[in-house]
Amino acid sequence: MASDAPDERSEPHRHTVLNVFGLTLEVSNPRLAELLTMDARDALATDVKDLLRPAPADAQDAPGAISDDFPVRVDARTEQQERARAKLHHRVRDVGERLGFETAPDRTWVSPTGISVVVREFAHSITLAAAAHYVREILAVVARSPDPDRTAALVVVCDHDAADVLKVAIRQARAYQTMRVARIEDLEELAALVDRGAVAHTHALAFIAPIAAIDVGELLAVLRCNTGAGDEKGMM
């Protein structure tokens, strides 16, 4: 007997895996959903390559195709996250200008020294699997820049937990010579030192961009002059 009910097989079940930038990301593959929602405490001891290696039956959903499997829909429940993200974005842009960079609309900080920093921010927690994917995306942006050898990346977060997860993902990707992660409060503290003239732009650049060439002695001078009574003497 024929049935008028819709064929459920034609509409695969989708799994919500991440709310980011005010958008809800979904995947149809259950293994991929499990990886992207894995608790960071369980994932920290696992090699990212093992996390992202698909099962044989899931070959069509290999990590390289992650971005193709993310239909996006606006979710009203993410409005608070979107507001937090927008607030963080404003703070990041402000601190970049205070540090002496020209902040471009594409979220790149351009230093007078010729070094560029691709800046991205996270206003919420993140799993290690999602962090690994995001690190790869940022590295791809750096590789496409006009001068990759003079382009670094900086991920700005709000809390220590997100910073720790991203540090693991950066280390797993062997991107520690290109990318750094920083809490917004630490960047604002660094910007306050620049505001007071205690730290020069080139020194601030060396703290946030691994590729910035600067003498170790100069960095030690920065640390010495900002401990105890050193603040009163200035740097130069």
Side-chain angles (χ1 to χ4, degrees):
M1 178 176 179
S3 172
D4 294 332
D7 186 355
E8 296 182 356
R9 291 176 297 179
S10 63
E11 294 291 338
H13 180 69
R14 308 201 67 82
H15 307 267
T16 299
V17 297
L18 184 66
N19 287 329
V20 61
F21 300 153
L23 302 175
T24 296
L25 307 182
E26 298 177 338
V27 296
S28 59
N29 184 280
R31 174 174 169 76
L32 186 58
E34 179 183 359
L35 293 180
L36 292 178
T37 56
M38 179 178 292
D39 190 281
R41 290 172 299 181
D42 298 331
L44 283 174
T46 306
D47 193 287
V48 171
K49 292 183 294 184
D50 295 332
L51 282 173
L52 299 179
R53 183 177 296 120
D58 298 332
Q60 69 275 16
D61 290 293
I66 287 179
S67 59
D68 295 331
D69 200 23
F70 277 167
V72 180
R73 63 183 177 83
V74 176
D75 190 335
R77 292 174 300 178
T78 66
E79 289 183 357
Q80 183 176 0
Q81 288 185 336
E82 172 61 19
R83 288 194 296 269
R85 188 206 64 78
K87 181 178 179 181
L88 177 60
H89 177 67
H90 178 77
R91 292 172 69 185
V92 168
R93 183 179 60 186
D94 177 70
V95 80
E97 293 173 352
R98 291 170 61 194
L99 289 171
F101 293 93
E102 177 184 346
T103 57
D106 65 353
R107 291 184 292 169
T108 297
W109 292 357
V110 181
S111 167
T113 65
I115 291 176
S116 297
V117 182
V118 173
V119 181
R120 297 294 184 268
E121 60 269 347
F122 264 99
H124 50 78
S125 60
I126 185 172
T127 65
L128 181 56
H133 170 73
Y134 204 64
V135 165
R136 292 198 306 273
E137 292 293 322
I138 297 172
L139 290 176
V141 173
V142 172
R144 293 194 300 267
S145 66
D147 191 354
D149 291 337
R150 294 181 64 80
T151 303
L154 174 69
V155 184
V156 184
V157 298
C158 288
D159 58 64
H160 287 291
D161 290 341
D164 288 341
V165 174
L166 281 158
K167 282 188 291 187
V168 172
I170 291 170
R171 185 167 61 248
Q172 292 282 4
R174 300 184 183 277
Y176 33 76
Q177 293 182 334
T178 301
M179 184 181 301
R180 281 189 177 157
V181 59
R183 294 190 313 126
I184 182 61
E185 289 83 1
D186 293 331
L187 289 178
E188 288 175 333
E189 182 177 351
L190 182 59
L193 295 174
V194 174
D195 291 341
R196 298 204 305 265
V199 172
H201 168 76
T202 52
H203 300 129
L205 176 63
F207 279 113
I208 66 176
I211 65 172
I214 193 168
D215 184 83
V216 172
E218 291 190 57
L219 288 178
L220 288 175
V222 173
L223 298 177
R224 284 195 297 266
C225 92
N226 286 290
T227 56
D231 282 341
E232 299 177 0
K233 297 185 296 183
M235 281 194 55
M236 305 187 210

